[in-house]
Amino acid sequence: MKKKFEIYKRFIKIKYASFSMLDKYILKQLLEIFILGVIIFTSIIFASETFTQLIKQITQFGIPFNIAIMMVVLNLPQVFVMTIPISTLFATVMTVNRLSLNSEITVLRACGIGISRIARPIFAFAIFMTIVSFLINEFIVPATSNQAKYLAVYSLQRKHVPDGRMNFTLNENDKEGRLKRLFYVQKCQDKTLNNVTVVDLSNENTVQIIQAKIGKTADSGWIFDGGVIYTLSSTEKVLNTTLFESSTINFGLENMESFVKESASQYNFFKLMKYIRKNRKNPDFIEKLRLEYQVQLHDKIALPVTTFALALVGIPLALTPPRVRYNRGFLFSVMIIFVYYVIRAFSLNLGETKAISPFLAAWLPVISIAIIGWILYYKKAHTIS
């Protein structure tokens, strides 16, 4: 009797040890493909959106290259929140598909290990990445978004004046890329501008020329002391001459309004909720903007939860029938991502137009993917196991 008990005990120990090895084996493959997915999808988003924005910052707004790069880096956490769910899906589908193609799932089933047990480390990984995504969106994204906004305002207002340089010019272009203002500085020393000339072409009918002996940069713009303003007509006739003791030119604000405008990404969930309640009756907080903020409030939780929902739908679709001898993982990943973002874009637009509630607008894509995933997973796990 004692001998039989020892044999049974050893069998249980070996079985659970094999489960632990199975978890490590699957998690290792998941992590490798997940990191690859983050690199791929982050690069795609950077190349399609962020890189274009970077060039716009440098050429149109006159932001220095090093500051523009810093702003891109500060916006990466917001990109990671978007890439974590799709990278988790990519890792899930590729891993399960590889196990299926290599007949490893068939071997595991022959050993009495079902689909539900194989999927356990995948679900654990998806839950962990859901929490990571939420924490990044809640604590890191607001801080980095605010810092990026501060850098944009600082750079646009101060125009990155090169201290110690002599006889240099700075250009300011409008939204169409046409010259709006031309700045000439004879010398910049200790952040003080000496003998400054500004040619203002922003008005189609007149041209203003501002000349000042001394100027300096500040958060409010460029401040000139002791100067004169000449107003010329289109025929170069002097219309007016004005002497001033102090004058501030607040250039660049027209172009940067859309670039540094306030957004929901600058707040975490609880601060955004408080902000919406505080401005509920504010006439400047118009209906459309309030609806947009309410949708994004619910999306701050719905988007991280998408990670688990996509993993749920990815597992059954990645299980390859015995007759199939090619890897369908990447194809299924692209297909699921496309369907998800179509549903998401459609749902968010409905929420912002008040066609559906903000809560439903944020959660409809997650609920849809989760229901489809659960039905497929239940059928696969039940029939295959």
Side-chain angles (χ1 to χ4, degrees):
M1 185 71 180
K2 185 177 180 181
K3 188 176 181 180
K4 287 184 178 180
F5 177 75
E6 289 295 331
I7 294 173
Y8 179 75
K9 185 178 178 181
R10 188 180 301 176
F11 173 76
I12 295 295
K13 187 177 180 180
I14 293 172
K15 188 175 181 180
Y16 278 95
S18 66
F19 284 171
S20 178
M21 291 176 62
L22 174 64
D23 292 338
K24 291 178 182 179
Y25 177 70
I26 294 176
L27 287 173
K28 182 182 178 182
Q29 294 192 57
L30 277 172
L31 186 59
E32 290 175 353
I33 303 175
F34 173 80
I35 294 173
L36 177 64
V38 169
I39 295 173
I40 292 174
F41 295 117
T42 301
S43 301
I44 292 173
I45 294 176
F46 176 82
S48 60
E49 297 180 8
T50 314
F51 184 74
T52 305
Q53 190 180 48
L54 172 62
I55 298 300
K56 183 178 180 181
Q57 293 166 10
I58 296 173
T59 57
Q60 183 173 338
F61 299 134
I63 293 179
F65 182 78
N66 60 335
I67 293 182
I69 290 293
M70 289 177 62
M71 292 172 63
V72 169
V73 173
L74 288 170
N75 282 310
L76 281 179
Q78 194 169 354
V79 178
F80 288 152
V81 174
M82 297 293 296
T83 58
I84 284 176
I86 57 180
S87 298
T88 303
L89 168 67
F90 180 67
T92 299
V93 174
M94 293 296 289
T95 299
V96 175
N97 204 196
R98 181 188 296 176
L99 293 173
S100 183
L101 284 173
N102 295 337
S103 301
E104 292 174 273
I105 290 181
T106 304
V107 173
L108 290 171
R109 285 175 53 213
C111 295
I113 302 174
I115 299 299
S116 297
R117 178 60 189 87
I118 298 171
R120 192 180 301 174
I122 299 175
F123 288 144
F125 181 80
I127 292 172
F128 175 75
M129 295 315 303
T130 297
I131 296 171
V132 170
S133 178
F134 175 77
L135 292 177
I136 292 175
N137 201 26
E138 189 71 3
F139 297 105
I140 299 178
V141 170
T144 54
S145 295
N146 284 318
Q147 188 64 28
K149 179 181 177 181
Y150 170 77
L151 279 177
V153 173
Y154 177 83
S155 182
L156 287 170
Q157 291 289 57
R158 305 210 173 193
K159 278 290 184 181
H160 193 60
V161 178
D163 196 29
R165 187 175 171 184
M166 299 180 63
N167 299 319
F168 65 93
T169 60
L170 295 170
N171 298 337
E172 180 189 0
N173 299 326
D174 58 15
K175 295 180 179 180
E176 285 74 30
R178 294 172 298 189
L179 181 63
K180 187 176 181 181
R181 291 188 182 97
L182 176 65
F183 298 82
Y184 168 78
V185 181
Q186 186 184 47
K187 185 179 181 180
C188 178
Q189 188 173 8
D190 298 328
K191 298 299 181 182
T192 300
L193 311 174
N194 298 287
N195 295 326
V196 184
T197 301
V198 181
V199 181
D200 190 344
L201 306 173
S202 57
N203 195 319
E204 295 182 0
N205 299 321
T206 60
V207 177
Q208 280 193 333
I209 300 176
I210 305 170
Q211 291 182 328
K213 292 182 179 180
I214 297 176
K216 61 181 179 180
T217 60
D219 291 340
S220 57
W222 280 19
I223 301 175
F224 299 131
D225 296 326
V228 60
I229 301 176
Y230 301 101
T231 303
L232 310 178
S233 66
S234 56
T235 58
E236 299 184 359
K237 180 180 179 180
V238 178
L239 299 178
N240 190 18
T241 303
T242 306
L243 299 174
F244 63 86
E245 294 183 1
S246 179
S247 178
T248 302
I249 296 183
N250 199 3
F251 61 85
L253 287 179
E254 302 89 345
N255 286 343
M256 78 174 183
E257 280 181 358
S258 60
F259 182 62
V260 297
K261 67 179 181 179
E262 190 176 60
S263 64
S265 63
Q266 296 173 225
Y267 302 94
N268 60 29
F269 179 81
F270 296 103
K271 287 186 177 180
L272 183 58
M273 183 187 298
K274 185 178 180 181
Y275 177 81
I276 294 173
R277 289 178 179 176
K278 181 181 177 182
N279 293 275
R280 191 179 297 273
K281 296 182 179 180
N282 188 349
D284 295 330
F285 198 54
I286 58 175
E287 181 73 16
K288 188 179 186 307
L289 185 60
R290 183 166 63 249
L291 284 172
E292 180 182 338
Y293 273 43
Q294 287 175 340
V295 171
Q296 293 186 35
L297 173 68
H298 296 292
D299 193 52
K300 284 183 177 292
I301 297 178
L303 184 58
V305 175
T306 305
T307 304
F308 184 82
L310 289 175
L312 181 63
V313 76
I315 293 173
L317 288 178
L319 292 171
T320 306
R323 295 183 300 274
V324 178
R325 292 301 174 191
Y326 62 92
N327 195 321
R328 306 184 301 178
F330 184 77
L331 177 63
F332 278 138
S333 299
V334 173
M335 181 185 69
I336 298 169
I337 291 169
F338 175 76
V339 171
Y340 166 72
Y341 278 107
V342 167
I343 298 174
R344 175 180 166 82
F346 181 69
S347 178
L348 293 180
N349 285 330
L350 288 178
E352 292 175 4
T353 56
K354 214 175 179 179
I356 58 177
S357 68
F359 175 84
L360 186 59
W363 283 95
L364 182 61
V366 186
I367 295 172
S368 302
I369 294 294
I371 291 175
I372 295 172
W374 174 251
I375 294 172
L376 293 175
Y377 176 80
Y378 179 80
K379 287 182 176 180
K380 287 280 186 178
H382 180 72
T383 56
I384 293 180
S385 299

